[in-house]
Amino acid sequence: MSEKIDLSNYVPSEDEEFMNTNQRAYFRSKLVAWKNDILREARETLDHLAEESANHPDLADRASSETDRAIELRARDRQRKLISKIDAALQRIDDGTYGYCEETGEPIGLKRLDARPIATLSIEAQERHERREKVYRDE
């Protein structure tokens, strides 16, 4: 991608070819920015946890601190999984499969991708997937 595209005012449109160069660049920049935000937050969390590791003489303070720490670490674990999904989406952009439903091969839709850039299923396929999950969960 040697060609630079100005994405400052660009909004993907249904009127253009699906997953053209501009759309791929738009979603790549959105995904990279999201990943960078998560990594920055993770660094801030690690810094905060390092500062917070002071020994609390009061048991209630120590318990509260441990609970906060556990919640923070759980959130970081979810974000770690999210980073792998972002990386997978970036890989799909590179290999030309980004924006297409893994189940049907049809375009996912720009509005869905804009709201959830790591989406791998169209809305219809996602709904079918969730209905199947619910059926198996209810049994």
Side-chain angles (χ1 to χ4, degrees), residues 6-12 26:
D6 178 21
L7 297 171
S8 56
N9 296 318
Y10 176 74
V11 177
Y26 171 84

Side-chain angles (χ1 to χ4, degrees), residues 3 25 50 60 69 71 76 78 98-99 131 138:
E3 179 185 339
R69 187 184 200 101
I71 290 169
R76 290 296 145 236
R78 278 195 305 275
Y98 182 80
R131 278 195 299 274
D138 288 346

Side-chain angles (χ1 to χ4, degrees), residues 63-107:
S64 176
S65 178
E66 287 299 317
T67 300
D68 291 348
R69 187 184 200 101
I71 290 169
E72 197 69 48
L73 290 172
R74 227 171 320 163
R76 290 296 145 236
D77 188 49
R78 278 195 305 275
Q79 289 184 328
R80 180 186 54 78
K81 291 174 185 167
L82 184 55
I83 285 176
S84 71
K85 289 181 180 184
I86 291 171
D87 286 341
L90 290 168
Q91 182 60 48
R92 289 193 305 278
I93 289 174
D94 290 343
D95 67 25
T97 60
Y98 182 80
Y100 295 93
C101 179
E102 287 182 345
E103 204 171 275
T104 65
E106 295 294 314

